[in-house]
Amino acid sequence: MKFRSLFNKYFLFGICLTFGAATAFAQKPGSGVPRQEKLLNGLKVLMWSDPSASDVKVSIRVHSGAAFDPQAKEGVMQLLADNIFPSAASRSYFADDLGGNLEVITNYDYIQINASARPGEFVTLVQTLAQAVSNPTIDKETTAALKKALSERLGLLERDSVYVADQAAVRRLFGTFPYGRPQMGSVETLTHIDFADLQFARDRFLCADNATVAISGNFNSDLGFRAARRYFGAWLKSDKRVPFTFRQPDNPDTRPIEVNLAGASPRTSFVLRGLAKNDPDYAASLILEKVLRERIEKIAAGSSVSNSARVLPGVVVINVPGAVPFPFSSISDRVSETEFNKVRADVAAEVSRISLVDEWLDMDTYKTTLVVDAQTVQKLTLADVQRVADRLAKNPIVSVVLRTVPVVE
């Protein structure tokens, strides 16, 4: 550790001597447009330099997620993400030694690592992340430990009534299409995964030309680019990119289905296909989601509405306590001017809290130039929202009734 600290000290000193005169050309602090660079291995680097910030942050977005899990081996991409920093010591290092934090996010569309540190630890932060993501060690012992930990998490989820009902509904809606399979896998599918599956996924997806690195905060952008080239430059690129080429799912069977779960609270889940993240109507769908949520909550307390937009068409989930028929009026009734005006400002405030880094990373993942910010939401009209409601009303609706059965002692 002492050698690395000494090395980083002189590495930082040398860069500052070389690039000190170039700091005047860094983008203005707080600018929405980052400095953009691309390494020879295809890695895209985005940088926002802000000398007034109290820390420095690095986000690495790998543009492939759980949608690429092999059938019957769902959970591979979640385990791959867990394997990047597999131990408690490797995760606590960011807080204990660098004065920052670490977060790893996995969903159907991507794996993202968010890490921060004190400004003086910037080079060490980049070096640590680059080593972890470009060459993670995958072996039998670590894979077994990660599978055990994930299995314990899933064991709890698979006893949760809301989770069980929602999973049954999306499985009926999408079938074997990736979004119909559990994002983190299941206790059963984890038993079919071994370390060779993680190695294959690493070689196929965890590659420089399938990722974007975003650096923001208190650092010099010339130093940032030099550090990115030095530490991420050896990250291998993939032999070929892996596009989303999944066959669209067939229309679902809309006959209601029942699921029995011991000790569960009776619930009904309704699901229908939603919009893709790069759909021109995506921003309007956020307003419609809030309108639907308020309508459903008036019908039954404890209800929920979620609108998950993804690379491919997403899903709208309506969850209601008890065994009830679908409240068709919640979608079929036209959106009123009062409803529209009431929620638009709230949605604008919510999207304004989305970080600039995530907006730019989303543009890479979802192949879009559409940025949903407060200004975009404020420009929407009632007709825009009604258009989305009319689109969704045409989609088939799948319903799952979750019933309770006695707990066997």
Side-chain angles (χ1 to χ4, degrees):
M1 186 65 71
K2 289 182 178 179
F3 173 77
R4 185 170 66 182
S5 298
L6 184 63
F7 172 80
N8 287 336
K9 176 181 178 181
Y10 283 103
F11 173 62
L12 176 62
F13 177 70
I15 292 173
C16 290
L17 285 178
T18 305
F19 291 99
T23 57
F25 297 98
Q27 83 281 2
K28 182 180 178 181
S31 170
V33 179
R35 173 176 171 178
Q36 303 180 56
E37 303 285 355
K38 197 165 191 176
L39 305 189
L40 294 177
N41 58 6
L43 179 67
K44 187 173 182 179
V45 181
L46 308 174
M47 293 177 286
W48 292 265
S49 177
D50 182 3
S52 66
S54 60
D55 61 2
V56 59
K57 300 176 182 177
V58 177
S59 293
I60 305 172
R61 172 79 67 88
V62 178
H63 305 294
S64 299
F68 288 100
D69 279 341
Q71 286 193 41
K73 291 187 177 183
E74 290 81 7
V76 165
M77 295 300 281
Q78 179 67 53
L79 288 170
L80 178 63
D82 293 344
N83 193 90
I84 296 173
F85 293 101
S87 67
S90 65
R91 295 187 293 271
S92 63
Y93 170 74
F94 291 86
D96 297 342
D97 291 56
L98 304 185
N101 56 55
L102 173 73
E103 175 188 38
V104 181
I105 300 169
T106 310
N107 58 33
Y108 284 105
D109 296 335
Y110 58 79
I111 296 170
Q112 182 167 324
I113 303 166
N114 298 320
S116 65
R118 294 182 293 265
E121 303 290 349
F122 169 60
V123 174
T124 301
L125 175 64
V126 174
Q127 181 187 22
T128 302
L129 291 172
Q131 289 175 342
V133 75
S134 64
N135 191 30
T137 301
I138 298 175
D139 54 40
K140 292 182 180 179
E141 293 75 18
T142 303
T143 301
L146 293 174
K147 285 173 59 178
K148 180 181 178 182
L150 181 56
S151 182
E152 290 173 354
R153 292 167 57 193
L154 289 170
L156 294 175
L157 274 177
E158 290 173 6
R159 293 193 293 271
D160 180 86
S161 59
V162 175
Y163 180 82
V164 170
D166 289 353
Q167 286 297 309
V170 296
R171 185 164 56 249
R172 172 65 74 90
L173 179 67
F174 289 110
T176 59
F177 188 76
Y179 297 161
R181 297 184 272 138
Q183 177 184 296
M184 294 191 297
S186 66
V187 172
E188 179 184 358
T189 63
L190 291 186
T191 63
H192 303 151
I193 300 172
D194 60 30
F195 77 102
D197 296 307
L198 271 63
Q199 289 176 327
F200 178 77
R202 175 197 61 193
D203 296 341
R204 190 181 184 202
F205 303 111
L206 207 58
C207 306
D209 55 340
N210 190 36
T212 302
V213 172
I215 308 172
S216 60
N218 191 347
F219 74 105
N220 175 277
S221 63
D222 292 313
L223 166 63
F225 182 45
R226 180 70 176 271
R229 283 196 303 178
R230 182 178 184 88
Y231 295 118
F232 286 105
W235 192 1
L236 297 178
K237 64 188 301 183
S238 59
D239 294 332
K240 59 181 180 179
R241 295 299 297 272
V242 183
F244 276 87
T245 55
F246 306 111
R247 185 180 73 84
Q248 289 293 317
D250 298 326
N251 286 330
D253 183 348
T254 56
R255 290 175 297 178
I257 57 176
E258 292 187 2
V259 175
N260 296 318
L261 182 66
S265 300
R267 304 190 70 83
T268 306
S269 289
F270 306 97
V271 298
L272 61 155
R273 293 177 194 170
L275 306 184
K277 196 71 172 281
N278 61 3
D279 191 292
D281 282 333
Y282 169 64
S285 76
L286 299 179
I287 293 180
L288 179 63
E289 175 188 3
K290 202 166 185 66
V291 169
L292 293 180
R293 183 177 297 123
E294 294 199 352
R295 287 180 176 180
I296 296 294
E297 287 177 349
K298 289 179 181 178
I299 297 173
S303 301
S304 64
V305 177
S306 66
N307 171 32
S308 301
R310 299 168 182 149
V311 168
L312 299 174
V315 60
V316 176
V317 179
I318 299 173
N319 206 293
V320 182
V324 298
F326 181 74
F328 283 98
S329 61
S330 62
I331 290 182
S332 60
D333 287 354
R334 301 194 67 79
V335 180
S336 69
E337 190 78 36
T338 301
E339 290 176 313
F340 173 73
N341 291 330
K342 180 181 179 181
V343 304
R344 181 172 60 174
D346 293 339
V347 174
E350 290 172 5
V351 300
S352 68
R353 291 191 286 271
I354 300 174
S355 74
L356 194 61
V357 168
D358 283 335
E359 287 181 355
W360 278 79
L361 291 175
D362 280 353
M363 285 193 282
D364 278 358
T365 297
Y366 300 106
K367 304 298 184 290
T368 180
T369 57
L370 176 67
V371 176
V372 179
D373 54 16
Q375 186 176 12
T376 302
V377 173
Q378 291 290 2
K379 289 181 179 179
L380 292 172
T381 66
L382 176 58
D384 296 325
V385 178
Q386 186 59 53
R387 181 173 62 250
V388 178
D390 292 340
R391 289 178 61 183
L392 294 185
K394 298 176 183 178
N395 293 341
I397 299 169
V398 168
S399 61
V400 171
V401 179
L402 184 70
R403 299 188 184 281
T404 185
V405 294
V407 177
V408 178
E409 297 294 340

